[in-house]
Amino acid sequence: MDLNIRFLCPICGCPGRWRPQRSSQWSCPACDHILAPEVKEQDGSLHCAICEHQELYKKKDFPHWLGLTVLASAFAVFLLAEAYYWNSLAWAVLIGSAVIDGTMYLTVGDVGVCYRCGTQHRGMSEIAKLSPFDLATAERYRQERIRRHAGQ
Ligand SMILES: [Zn+2]
Ligand SMILES: [Zn+2]
């Protein structure tokens, strides 16, 4: 899998994408801020390439809306086929779409997301070792962000 990092510019919030194979630095197209992201896998754990924080979670690299679209359109066809008494077709469509959905889910890779700044890491072997999203941890970082903004 292609190693790449997606993040928001810490200065202006402009979305950015960085590939270590292409260049060692990233400059923001909107505000010219220069970043030098670093892929660090220290003590067997992955560090955020942007803020160097080491609490990341993994999630499936799968857009939720895509799965829902597949299921919703299959269900529409199911109802239509049912209305015309094409029962076997109706069930084939419904089961087929569930299979497609499941396969897509299983074959996509994981993304490592930084709790602190939301940076997405792709293509690193350490991502598989991360824990899934934890609401309590995320809440802790949300509170921390609010405090940081209030203090400014
Ligand atoms: Zn910027
Ligand atoms: Zn981060």
Side-chain angles (χ1 to χ4, degrees), residues 11 20 42-43 47 51 91 95-96 98 114 131 143 150 152:
I11 306 297
Q42 222 171 49
D43 313 320
H47 290 237
C51 73
W91 285 104
I95 292 164
C114 174
S131 315
Q143 299 284 350
Q152 271 170 7

Side-chain angles (χ1 to χ4, degrees), residues 50-135:
I50 301 298
C51 73
E52 292 183 27
H53 196 72
Q54 57 165 332
E55 253 183 313
L56 286 87
Y57 64 89
K58 68 172 173 187
K59 65 167 192 170
K60 283 283 177 191
D61 196 2
F62 180 72
H64 195 54
W65 62 266
L66 185 64
L68 288 179
T69 310
V70 169
L71 283 180
S73 38
F75 194 62
V77 176
F78 173 78
L79 289 179
L80 202 70
E82 275 275 294
Y84 287 98
Y85 302 105
W86 299 332
N87 273 315
S88 46
L89 174 72
W91 285 104
V93 168
L94 202 64
I95 292 164
S97 74
V99 170
I100 291 170
D101 206 47
T103 318
M104 282 199 296
Y105 190 80
L106 289 174
T107 49
V108 293
D110 288 321
V111 197
V113 188
C114 174
Y115 274 114
R116 194 157 162 236
C117 71
T119 294
Q120 301 186 346
H121 305 72
R122 284 182 176 79
M124 281 151 243
S125 58
E126 299 292 332
I127 292 169
K129 291 188 206 156
L130 297 170
S131 315
F133 180 77
D134 174 55
L135 193 62

